[in-house]
């Protein structure tokens, strides 16, 4: 199922094309004009990004591997765990007794959705939620690969991938084009619901 993206997103793609140089299976160096502001490459921060999460992202991830859609498709086909970290809208303040159904996310099929785990600062409970989710996805084996993503130009997937690396995961793949890149390549999306948070 192809998703129609806004004209502005197409403009960003048209102006900022992305190319990747292969360094062997799954290893790529990204040369992305979309990862630049006024022609200057976006540097990786020393720590996590804590503000302006929807903005151009770096073309690199220290300790991890940045991948394009073709590589994401291959890893998905190999059964690698995909982790979505996109936040979800908070439950609205509704009158008592009102029935509210959360809208599912159209997502990369089979992904584990660990909501709100890409912020720059996490409470201890949310840090545990993330790490427990990663352990669930890998069967507790930190050598098993993970693909971490959310939406395009979203620092939350960068933050979460960096957290996974710092937690000792040895094969962290960061997919910065996320759901939009996946859908634009003609891949199907599937309705997804988040893994329950600690307070739920």
């Amino acid at each position: 199922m192809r998703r129609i993206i806004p004209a502005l997103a197409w403009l960003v793609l048209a102006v900022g094309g992305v190319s990747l140089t292969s360094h062997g299976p799954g290893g790529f160096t990204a040369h992305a004009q979309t990862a630049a502001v006024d022609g200057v490459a976006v540097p990786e921060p020393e720590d996590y990004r804590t503000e302006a999460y929807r903005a151009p992202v770096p073309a690199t991830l220290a300790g991890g591997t940045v991948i394009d859609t073709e590589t994401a498709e291959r890893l998905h086909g190999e059964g690698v765990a995909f982790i979505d970290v996109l936040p979800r809208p908070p439950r609205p303040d509704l009158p008592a007794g009102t029935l509210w159904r959360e809208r599912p996310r159209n997502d990369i099929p089979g992904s584990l959705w660990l909501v709100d785990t890409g912020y720059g600062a996490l409470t201890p409970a949310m840090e545990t939620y993330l790490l427990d989710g990663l352990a669930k996805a890998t069967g507790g084996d930190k050598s098993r690969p993970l693909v971490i993503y959310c939406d395009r130009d979203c620092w939350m997937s960068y933050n979460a991938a960096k957290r996974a690396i710092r937690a000792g995961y040895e094969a962290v793949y960061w997919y910065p084009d996320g759901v939009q890149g996946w859908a634009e390549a003609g891949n199907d999306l599937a309705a997804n619901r988040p893994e329950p948070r600690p307070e739920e």
Side-chain angles (χ1 to χ4, degrees), residues 6-7 9 17 19 22 36 46 84 100 116-117 121 136 142 145 150 163 190 195:
S19 65
S22 176
E46 290 184 13
D84 186 1
W100 178 72
D116 303 326
T117 54
K136 175 181 177 180
K142 291 188 175 181
C150 56
R163 275 198 176 86
E195 187 77 0

Side-chain angles (χ1 to χ4, degrees), residues 65-157:
T65 303
V66 182
I67 62 172
D68 64 357
T69 298
E70 183 179 356
T71 305
E73 291 168 340
R74 176 177 60 78
L75 293 172
H76 191 269
E78 293 172 359
V80 171
F82 274 57
I83 308 294
D84 186 1
V85 299
L86 187 78
R88 64 176 175 182
R91 181 184 174 118
D93 188 14
L94 299 170
T98 302
L99 182 64
W100 178 72
R101 293 188 184 276
E102 185 175 26
R103 190 174 78 177
R105 170 164 164 77
N106 288 323
D107 211 347
I108 297 174
S111 297
L112 181 66
W113 185 11
L114 301 176
V115 295
D116 303 326
T117 54
Y119 287 105
L122 296 180
T123 64
M126 288 302 294
E127 181 103 19
T128 298
Y129 167 70
L130 171 63
L131 296 179
D132 286 351
L134 298 181
K136 175 181 177 180
T138 59
D141 182 354
K142 291 188 175 181
S143 69
R144 289 180 61 182
L146 290 164
V147 174
I148 298 178
Y149 71 95
C150 56
D151 283 347
R152 178 179 284 136
D153 283 341
C154 181
W155 279 84
M156 292 197 174
S157 57

